[in-house]
Amino acid sequence: MKASIKKLLVSFILIYGLFLSGCKSSSESENTAFTDFTHQLFCQEVTSSTISLHYTLENPSSYGLENVPISYGNLSTDITQTSASIENYHSALHSFDFEQLSSENQLTYTILDFYLETSASGTRFLLYQEPLSPTIGVHAQLPILLSEFQFYSSEDVDTYLQLLDTTDTYFQTIIEFENAKSEAGLFMADYQAEEVISQCNAFINMGKNNYLYSTFNDRINALPDLSSSEKDTYISTNKEIIETKVFPSYECLIESLKSLMGTGINQKGLCFLPDGKSYYEYLVRQTVGVSDSISTLQKRTKSQILDDLSSMEEIIFPASTSQNTSLLDSATPSSLLNDLKTKTAKAFPEIPSVTTDIKYVPTDMQEYLSPAFYMIPAIDNYQNNVIYINQGQIYDSLSLYTTLAHEGYPGHLYQTVYFHSQNPDPVRSILDFGGYVEGWATYTEMMAYYMAPISEMEATLMQKNNSLILGLYAYADMGIHYDGWSQTDLNNFFGTYGITDPLILESIYHMIIGTPANYLKYYLGYLEIYDLKKEIAGELQKEFSQTDFHEAVLTAGPAPFDIVKEFVRQKLLPDD
């Protein structure tokens, strides 16, 4: 599964242990007071973690942030404190007169209101969340985040090394969180723990070939103002910290997980946990940004699966086709990305020119990381972008092409650059709406089949097949976590679609157990945009413009879909 990486270490709930007063002096206008409030909220959140701060801002001082404590952040288990913090923020937000705010501030207000309300409803599920999910857990993604920690100056190097030196302390908070989950009967399934342990061992066993050495050396050598001796000292210090703090932290985590195995009372879906169905409903609302019931989402998913099957059958019978990607086979990732960039201009609004560095997942970690991921840039340096390709999980040129569409143009990179170039309120950059972000990238990935140098028949067949498979995973996610599907139930479901390999099906079941609702943000997010497009096109008929539609969705930016849809309708159907 493709992913964008940035907010991993601060992704549980928006606010932990923070207090912000909503009071404002009578001399301030409502809009000025509101932007002051959102600025404070933004600053409080981005400084909760050094990685969050560094990935969000290249120049923190321009936001008035100086001498910020160096830390990975904290994993709280205090439900009371978390609830009080969110309530304080929510009360402060509600102190503003909505009608006096500008249209832009009203949009920010509405989005914040949803985010805080949803977060408040989820505080009782604090220990249900899992920081060590296979593939997208802290243990798997932290090394990537560290390897992409940019060095703009020697001060950044000092910050990085001080942060790295606290890895053992941070991992101890993760262990304490897992212990609290265990005591509450919420520890992960044993097979999930075994997978996390395997991933940790793979990272440690890289030894001297670990990319935390090589990427650090490359970044140090790229700094022009350091002498050779200073570079040598930094490189030596980094090596020492990796060997005395980072590797031992992973070893300690392994031993802790081994000791906790067997304490998890549930080896199946979330619905088997106390109040597990309610947690899954919250998770879908928070992760996807939709308010529909699970049964409604299941019906929509099943309907699209049948539509995709019907479309594929019309192509395959009586006509047959073979995938012809000869024009793609000899192309490089950079040339494919440039081709997508050129074709994106035909149906999407223009964005500023940016640079993109394509990198590759280290061989030893290919089994454990996503097929590709986009590193979200700092909001004050969105001109420089990075995409990682996992060569171990992309097997043909068409898959590479559509993957680059998902991660690059017109997917994550394009959407991120467009949004930041509109100069939105900075607070919106810290709000995580996975359904919108991954839904947009999946929607554009589906469009990429029709941009590829293959026949329209082939493009339709491949696109419908991709949509079908993603739909099966999404439906299975709801089946496992809401309806209580067993491995046998999943096997029977996939078997009706010709997928019967027991090892593959076991892998699918375990993967969905470890990442509940993850597939929904891709699939349901894509369907939300797709359905909205059909609705607007049906209303406007010949006056419909794909470019105008895409511009409206992009201008709305990451938000719950009810808000996105209302924004788009008002922009394109003002007389409704």
Side-chain angles (χ1 to χ4, degrees):
M1 183 61 67
K2 307 171 183 72
S4 56
I5 300 180
K6 179 179 179 182
K7 303 181 179 70
L8 175 71
L9 302 181
V10 288
S11 64
F12 290 113
I13 291 181
L14 174 62
I15 303 150
Y16 285 142
L18 304 174
F19 176 81
L20 180 65
S21 172
C23 298
K24 47 189 181 292
S25 68
S26 58
S27 62
E28 292 178 313
S29 71
E30 201 73 3
N31 283 285
T32 299
F34 182 78
T35 54
D36 286 345
F37 165 72
T38 59
H39 175 77
Q40 292 179 61
L41 174 56
F42 169 76
C43 291
Q44 289 275 22
E45 178 61 14
V46 295
T47 56
S48 65
S49 155
T50 300
I51 285 184
S52 176
L53 176 62
H54 197 75
Y55 270 82
T56 305
L57 294 173
E58 178 182 351
N59 298 299
S61 60
S62 64
Y63 287 77
L65 300 174
E66 305 275 2
N67 303 316
V68 178
I70 297 171
S71 165
Y72 282 111
N74 212 358
L75 299 182
S76 175
T77 58
D78 191 331
I79 294 175
T80 301
Q81 184 184 49
T82 301
S83 297
S85 299
I86 295 174
E87 184 179 345
N88 287 334
Y89 273 117
H90 218 176
S91 295
L93 178 68
H94 287 164
S95 72
F96 294 97
D97 186 340
F98 181 84
E99 297 301 326
Q100 292 188 39
L101 297 178
S102 66
S103 58
E104 182 179 351
N105 284 339
Q106 284 183 346
L107 178 61
T108 301
Y109 178 108
T110 305
I111 292 170
L112 266 176
D113 195 31
F114 173 93
Y115 204 99
L116 292 169
E117 180 183 342
T118 303
S119 296
S121 70
T123 55
R124 63 193 178 107
F125 300 118
L126 195 62
L127 289 175
Y128 285 65
Q129 302 176 76
E130 183 52 72
L132 298 176
S133 296
T135 305
I136 60 174
V138 172
H139 64 288
Q141 297 199 4
L142 179 59
I144 296 292
L145 290 167
L146 291 171
S147 69
E148 285 295 327
F149 192 103
Q150 296 302 304
F151 296 160
Y152 304 110
S153 66
S154 60
E155 287 77 12
D156 290 324
V157 184
D158 293 331
T159 296
Y160 174 86
L161 291 174
Q162 290 179 56
L163 178 67
L164 202 67
D165 197 46
T166 68
T167 303
D168 56 343
T169 302
Y170 180 63
F171 269 52
Q172 188 56 44
T173 67
I174 297 174
I175 291 170
E176 291 170 1
F177 190 86
E178 293 297 336
N179 282 328
K181 285 173 64 70
S182 174
E183 291 174 6
L186 300 172
F187 187 67
M188 68 183 76
D190 284 355
Y191 50 78
Q192 185 179 345
E194 289 172 352
E195 186 171 355
V196 174
I197 290 169
S198 177
Q199 293 169 349
C200 290
N201 277 322
F203 174 76
I204 295 170
N205 292 338
M206 294 173 73
K208 294 181 179 180
N209 295 320
N210 193 289
Y211 53 98
L212 288 187
Y213 293 117
S214 58
T215 56
F216 180 87
N217 297 350
D218 291 342
R219 284 173 287 164
I220 284 292
N221 289 325
L223 286 175
D225 298 331
L226 293 178
S227 67
S228 296
S229 61
E230 287 174 323
K231 291 179 180 179
D232 289 342
T233 299
Y234 275 134
I235 290 172
S236 176
T237 302
N238 178 63
K239 180 176 181 294
E240 180 183 357
I241 295 175
I242 291 173
E243 293 172 355
T244 61
K245 292 294 183 72
V246 178
F247 287 158
S249 295
Y250 274 80
E251 291 167 352
C252 186
L253 181 61
I254 289 171
E255 293 307 312
S256 297
L257 291 177
K258 286 181 178 178
S259 69
L260 292 174
M261 287 178 64
T263 65
I265 61 174
N266 178 37
Q267 305 289 305
K268 297 181 179 180
L270 292 176
C271 61
F272 291 99
L273 294 174
D275 214 12
K277 280 196 172 186
S278 295
Y279 172 59
Y280 187 68
E281 290 169 336
Y282 153 75
L283 194 61
V284 172
R285 178 173 167 81
Q286 185 265 342
T287 301
V288 185
V290 293
S291 54
D292 296 313
S293 68
I294 301 300
S295 62
T296 298
L297 297 175
Q298 287 175 318
K299 290 176 183 176
R300 177 64 187 96
T301 299
K302 194 64 174 287
S303 174
Q304 189 63 46
I305 288 173
L306 295 176
D307 284 350
D308 290 335
L309 274 174
S310 177
S311 297
M312 292 173 67
E313 288 172 354
E314 289 178 7
I315 295 172
I316 297 174
F317 305 108
S320 63
T321 184
S322 60
Q323 184 179 334
N324 178 13
T325 59
S326 57
L327 294 177
L328 299 176
D329 293 338
S330 60
T332 65
S334 294
S335 65
L336 294 178
L337 193 64
N338 285 331
D339 181 71
L340 284 160
K341 180 180 179 181
T342 299
K343 291 175 179 175
T344 293
K346 298 177 181 178
F348 296 82
E350 185 178 358
I351 62 170
S353 178
V354 299
T355 62
T356 307
D357 190 7
I358 296 177
K359 300 184 178 182
Y360 297 95
V361 170
T363 302
D364 290 343
M365 298 301 292
Q366 288 178 351
E367 180 183 352
Y368 307 111
L369 293 176
S370 303
F373 46 88
Y374 167 61
M375 304 293 295
I376 299 178
I379 63 175
D380 54 350
N381 186 25
Y382 63 80
Q383 296 82 5
N384 296 303
N385 296 267
V386 174
I387 293 174
Y388 268 87
I389 301 296
N390 187 343
Q391 294 175 298
Q393 296 195 35
I394 297 179
Y395 307 109
D396 59 77
S397 56
L398 182 60
S399 294
L400 177 59
Y401 188 79
T402 55
T403 293
L404 287 169
H406 184 112
E407 306 299 342
Y409 294 91
H412 286 314
L413 184 154
Y414 172 87
Q415 181 268 315
T416 299
V417 171
Y418 183 95
F419 184 63
H420 288 330
S421 69
Q422 303 303 301
N423 195 32
D425 190 315
V427 77
R428 293 195 59 188
S429 70
I430 64 173
L431 305 180
D432 187 10
F433 290 102
Y436 174 97
V437 173
E438 296 299 349
W440 172 268
T442 304
Y443 163 79
T444 59
E445 177 185 345
M446 298 299 174
M447 292 186 69
Y449 286 99
Y450 304 96
M451 301 179 187
I454 56 179
S455 71
E456 183 175 352
M457 183 182 295
E458 289 174 312
T460 302
L461 180 61
M462 300 304 293
Q463 183 266 310
K464 296 300 181 184
N465 184 64
N466 189 6
S467 177
L468 171 65
I469 292 173
L470 195 54
L472 296 179
Y473 277 69
Y475 196 86
D477 191 300
M478 291 181 278
I480 290 170
H481 291 293
Y482 197 74
D483 295 329
W485 284 10
S486 65
Q487 178 73 68
T488 301
D489 294 325
L490 180 131
N491 293 355
N492 292 337
F493 171 71
F494 275 93
T496 61
Y497 298 94
I499 303 172
T500 58
D501 187 306
L503 292 179
I504 291 176
L505 293 173
E506 182 181 53
S507 175
I508 292 172
Y509 187 80
H510 288 180
M511 180 171 53
I512 292 175
I513 289 290
T515 54
N518 187 54
Y519 279 99
L520 301 191
K521 63 185 178 183
Y522 292 81
Y523 186 72
L524 295 178
Y526 144 61
L527 290 187
E528 288 286 333
I529 297 172
Y530 177 64
D531 288 347
L532 180 60
K533 181 179 178 178
K534 289 194 296 183
E535 177 190 329
I536 299 296
E539 290 276 347
L540 294 178
Q541 299 290 327
K542 293 181 180 180
E543 296 180 3
F544 176 76
S545 163
Q546 282 211 91
T547 300
D548 290 346
F549 172 76
H550 293 149
E551 183 176 13
V553 175
L554 290 161
T555 302
F561 279 109
D562 285 347
I563 296 174
V564 172
K565 288 186 283 191
E566 181 61 25
F567 181 92
V568 173
R569 289 190 188 100
Q570 289 183 2
K571 192 173 182 64
L572 300 180
L573 305 170
D575 297 330
D576 251 25

